[in-house]
Amino acid sequence: MRFEIMRLDDVDGSAVDSTVVDAASVNRIVQQAASLGQRIYIRPAESPAS
């Protein structure tokens, strides 16, 4: 499964950038964001149309 992770602006909470990663990478990104004090939003990535 793949997830979209968006980094959020500290002031207004709007998405600054986003990336799509596999499930194995989510924990590493969450740990990194926590250590830097970044706000992130994680949701399942949409599957590409077949």
Side-chain angles (χ1 to χ4, degrees):
M1 181 168 204
R2 297 178 63 78
F3 293 89
E4 180 180 19
I5 300 178
M6 291 175 275
R7 188 167 50 96
L8 304 177
D9 182 79
D10 289 336
V11 176
D12 65 7
S14 63
V16 176
D17 60 23
S18 69
T19 188
V20 176
V21 299
D22 60 8
S25 300
V26 172
N27 186 51
R28 176 183 53 82
I29 292 171
V30 168
Q31 294 296 324
Q32 181 181 22
S35 70
L36 297 173
Q38 292 179 327
R39 295 170 59 196
I40 58 174
Y41 177 76
I42 303 169
R43 66 180 179 189
E46 293 182 16
S47 299
S50 297

